[in-house]
Amino acid sequence: MENINSNEITVKVNTNMKEIEEILINKGFKLSDEFTCEDNYFIPLNMNIKKESIRDIIKKAIIIRQVRNDKVLVFKKKNIDQNGDILKQQKFECNILDVNEAKRFLEAVGYKSVMDIFEKDICYSKDCLKLAFKDIKNGDILMELETQDIEGFRTTKELKEKVLKLNLPIDTSNFFVKKAEVELGRVINRK
């Protein structure tokens, strides 16, 4: 099992992917990666999503994640302040061989599927700045930046400053958009 400590900022993009890509290319960014990611969220069987807060539900979720040929179980721990800012987060990952077997295992130990999130990820880089765009199926486009062990990229405050200097069409009212919380809110509203 791998324990990954990092932090990130995530903002909502206020335009479409074509326009944001044109803006980035004009600013000297280069396409650095493209892939898809599918997350299947499982929560305890006895959890009532109509009675619990979205954040409390997500805290207990186990994710089956498929990225390219990699398949992993993921559990995230986030320390979130009263404003919704992520102060610190940890991600625990465990490789799996078969997604369907992992689903059956989680169901056998008392978990149920609550939602699936499918996204196309498109990454652009310039110097040390790496921007990951998450085009969520039937959802928003988000831009994510992770802290790095490089001067000027170690804190979320430094990442915010770099993003603001780019003057991109993004929503700067929330630098800690939590895609799972947004998507779970949509799932609950549909039920």
Side-chain angles (χ1 to χ4, degrees):
M1 181 171 64
E2 186 177 5
N3 177 0
I4 302 163
N5 287 305
S6 69
N7 210 344
E8 64 194 20
I9 61 172
T10 304
V11 295
K12 183 180 174 196
V13 175
N14 291 332
T15 188
N16 58 49
M17 275 310 301
K18 183 178 180 187
E19 185 177 328
I20 197 77
E21 287 176 308
E22 288 174 9
I23 293 168
L24 291 169
I25 290 167
N26 288 332
K27 291 181 180 282
F29 281 81
K30 303 278 186 219
L31 179 67
S32 57
D33 201 4
E34 277 187 270
F35 56 92
T36 59
C37 176
E38 185 173 349
D39 286 343
N40 309 110
Y41 282 75
F42 284 76
I43 59 172
L45 195 58
N46 61 355
M47 183 171 272
N48 184 335
I49 64 172
K50 294 284 191 179
K51 293 185 178 178
E52 300 268 349
S53 76
I54 289 174
R55 189 158 292 157
D56 286 340
I57 295 167
I58 296 298
K59 277 183 189 178
K60 295 177 182 156
I62 296 175
I63 306 162
I64 298 174
R65 176 166 289 163
Q66 298 175 78
V67 178
R68 295 185 176 101
N69 293 324
D70 295 329
K71 300 173 212 62
V72 293
L73 286 179
V74 179
F75 181 75
K76 295 183 177 185
K77 285 177 135 179
K78 295 184 182 189
N79 183 358
I80 301 172
D81 71 11
Q82 294 170 335
N83 299 325
D85 293 0
I86 300 171
L87 303 174
K88 181 181 175 187
Q89 64 181 334
Q90 288 179 284
K91 179 170 60 172
F92 301 88
E93 293 184 347
C94 177
N95 291 322
I96 57 174
L97 299 174
D98 184 274
V99 168
N100 290 325
E101 284 184 21
K103 288 177 181 180
R104 285 191 294 275
F105 177 85
L106 288 173
E107 289 166 353
V109 296
Y111 279 74
K112 63 183 175 184
S113 176
V114 68
M115 70 176 169
D116 298 328
I117 299 175
F118 183 83
E119 67 189 49
K120 181 177 181 184
D121 288 52
I122 304 162
C123 305
Y124 280 86
S125 300
K126 180 181 176 185
D127 303 323
C128 293
L129 190 55
K130 298 172 186 172
L131 308 175
F133 292 88
K134 299 172 173 306
D135 190 355
I136 301 168
K137 184 176 181 179
N138 301 319
D140 298 320
I141 297 173
L142 303 176
M143 182 179 75
E144 182 181 284
L145 290 87
E146 290 190 7
T147 54
Q148 304 174 53
D149 193 22
I150 299 171
E151 189 64 38
F153 294 87
R154 289 190 174 108
T155 68
T156 56
K157 181 180 178 189
E158 291 170 322
L159 295 180
K160 285 180 193 179
E161 290 169 1
K162 295 203 180 301
V163 166
L164 290 172
K165 286 180 184 175
L166 291 172
N167 197 29
L168 297 173
I170 58 172
D171 179 357
T172 57
S173 68
N174 182 0
F175 282 90
F176 296 96
V177 174
K178 294 151 202 77
K179 106 183 141 182
E181 290 183 10
V182 171
E183 295 303 312
L184 183 56
R186 289 182 176 139
V187 167
I188 290 170
N189 287 333
R190 285 192 299 258
K191 292 190 179 221

